Amino acid sequence: MIATDAAAPLDLPAWCHLTGHHYLGPVHDDPATRPVYALRLVSGARATRPDAPWRGAEA
């Protein structure tokens, strides 16, 4: 995943924890390139709200 948001290193692990996906970390740490992060997506992950993806669908 390419994420240019400065909060991505904090938000992505939190979102993965919320949904059940797995955060694998940054793919490379080269300031000359766009930040790239690895995620392992799982089937049957917990849904999030379309208008607030940082909250579970049941919230």
Side-chain angles (χ1 to χ4, degrees):
M1 164 180 276
I2 297 171
T4 57
D5 181 349
L10 299 173
D11 289 345
L12 288 173
W15 180 80
C16 285
H17 179 76
L18 171 71
T19 59
H21 297 300
H22 301 279
Y23 177 70
L24 303 176
V27 173
H28 54 73
D29 192 18
D30 181 356
T33 62
R34 295 182 292 178
V36 178
Y37 303 91
L39 309 175
R40 180 177 299 131
L41 304 180
V42 298
S43 63
R46 289 181 290 281
T48 58
R49 288 178 35 184
D51 63 328
W54 56 90
R55 295 189 178 194
E58 66 282 344

